[in-house]
Amino acid sequence: MQNGELAGSTQRLIRMLRPETIAATAQAATTWFKPLPVPLGRLGALEVRLAQDKRDVRRAQKLRYRVFYRDGTAIADAATLLARRDKDAFDRICDHLMVIDHAARPSMRGRQPVVGTYRLLRQEVAETNGGFYTENEFDIASLIDRHAGLRFLELGRSCVLARYRNKRTVELLWHGIWSYVRQHRLDVMIGCASFEGTDPGRLALPLSFLHHYARAPEAWRASAHPSRRVEMNRMAKQAINPKAALHELPPLIKGYLRLGALIGDGAVIDHQFGTTDVLIVMPVAAISARYIEHFGVDASRHAA
């Protein structure tokens, strides 16, 4: 070996032994040997799975920012604008369901885009971390106490990129939720669902429809906190045109009703997100049999 070659090899060895180089190599090795994510379902190029790490959660948060703030009516504070992510303290304790499009162009880092997401919070996790997000708007404590033998799951932060708002994406999200419910043996799903806008007077027809036709019976009812409660009963039942009211329901709420969901008592105005929220209560036992048959009792319809 010539002197120049020896000097070059020595310099390369010195660089390799630097602490920052060793740390980077160790991090890369961790990535190489990390198990591949396990999909919960697949439909064509779309895959549904849970977030595996903080980077996945950030991707879901970026999608939420795009849908809620950039394209929607939510009002971002300075920190949200700077981060360009929709995030809060609950993200740390929740599972995050993601729909990924493997046919779309990958990012600069080689990642396929996240086009849909749901945030999932199990009761046992909520109880050891300060409660459910829903408790900020609705008094659900008595509901949970009345069904102490059942296990609750909170659904939240649902969003889908505009061009993916179709049957395939929504069906895959629900397949992922059903797989998760089966895996964790959960009994009741709860969460807030939203109408766009903060003027309940303009939502009189759909809110009154939900009050008269879909309000939960006493055993499953929970009410909005008195300090935030907005009356949903704004029209007499006989004055409601059910077909017209259904037409005004957001697709998500309409989908919940088809599955067998019940609606809580009273609505809540969320000024940050520019929405009027209602409480969804969906006992698994009440889910329409045809939907369970569609996805499969064992969630096998779109199994990957």
Side-chain angles (χ1 to χ4, degrees):
M1 181 179 292
Q2 300 298 320
N3 289 339
E5 293 177 349
L6 179 60
S9 297
T10 302
Q11 290 298 320
R12 286 194 294 273
L13 179 60
I14 291 172
R15 287 196 297 270
M16 289 174 62
L17 293 176
R18 288 174 179 168
E20 62 269 24
T21 305
I22 294 173
T25 303
Q27 179 62 43
T30 300
T31 303
W32 296 337
F33 294 108
K34 185 177 180 179
L36 291 173
V38 178
L40 295 175
R42 187 106 183 205
L43 191 54
L46 298 179
E47 174 190 286
V48 63
R49 66 172 175 84
L50 293 174
Q52 300 295 300
D53 51 33
K54 292 181 180 179
R55 287 177 297 180
D56 275 351
V57 175
R58 285 195 290 269
R59 293 166 71 202
Q61 291 170 335
K62 286 180 180 179
L63 173 65
R64 285 160 27 188
Y65 176 87
R66 181 173 177 178
V67 173
F68 298 147
Y69 291 91
R70 201 189 78 175
D71 300 338
T73 57
I75 301 171
D77 58 20
T80 302
L81 280 173
L82 185 63
R84 299 184 68 80
R85 289 185 282 136
D86 168 57
K87 56 180 181 174
D88 65 18
F90 287 89
D91 285 326
R92 179 183 58 82
I93 63 172
C94 291
D95 284 324
H96 300 263
L97 199 65
M98 310 190 310
V99 172
I100 298 166
D101 184 1
H102 288 281
R105 180 166 36 176
S107 68
M108 295 291 289
R109 296 184 178 182
R111 292 176 175 267
Q112 303 302 132
V114 177
V115 302
T117 186
Y118 246 108
R119 192 166 74 175
L120 312 176
L121 179 56
R122 301 193 311 278
Q123 181 178 353
E124 60 266 30
V125 178
E127 288 177 345
T128 57
N129 288 277
F132 288 110
Y133 176 89
T134 303
E135 291 178 86
N136 293 321
E137 298 188 359
F138 295 91
D139 180 10
I140 59 174
S142 59
L143 169 65
I144 293 172
D145 287 344
R146 287 197 301 272
H147 301 280
L150 302 182
R151 302 179 68 207
F152 283 70
L153 170 69
E154 181 183 70
L155 308 177
R157 286 300 202 270
S158 167
C159 68
V160 176
L161 202 59
R163 66 177 179 273
Y164 288 89
R165 289 172 196 162
N166 53 48
K167 182 180 178 182
R168 289 165 62 85
T169 309
V170 173
E171 179 161 324
L172 203 54
L173 275 171
W174 271 105
H175 179 86
I177 291 171
W178 182 238
S179 298
Y180 189 90
V181 166
R182 295 287 302 170
Q183 178 183 347
H184 292 282
R185 299 181 180 181
L186 300 162
D187 303 297
V188 186
M189 289 175 268
I190 58 171
C192 299
S194 304
F195 289 88
E196 285 191 6
T198 58
D199 181 0
R202 299 183 64 179
L203 299 169
L205 177 60
L207 288 177
S208 299
F209 171 82
L210 293 177
H211 173 82
H212 290 295
Y213 288 91
R215 190 165 64 144
E218 283 291 340
W220 290 104
R221 193 174 302 167
S223 299
H225 289 301
S227 62
R228 304 190 66 182
R229 187 179 187 278
V230 171
E231 181 60 59
M232 294 176 64
N233 183 15
R234 312 184 81 84
M235 295 174 59
K237 187 173 183 178
Q238 58 269 26
I240 295 172
N241 180 334
K243 186 175 181 180
L246 281 168
H247 181 73
E248 291 191 21
L249 290 179
L252 182 62
I253 294 178
K254 200 180 299 185
Y256 284 140
L257 293 181
R258 290 195 187 110
L259 284 167
L262 307 165
I263 305 296
D265 180 56
V268 171
I269 304 298
D270 187 332
H271 291 285
Q272 179 189 353
F273 282 90
T275 58
T276 300
D277 299 344
V278 297
L279 176 65
I280 301 295
V281 181
M282 187 158 45
V284 170
I287 295 177
S288 173
R290 67 191 181 99
Y291 284 101
I292 292 179
E293 290 170 3
H294 176 77
F295 289 111
V297 174
D298 55 354
S300 59
R301 181 177 178 85
H302 299 305

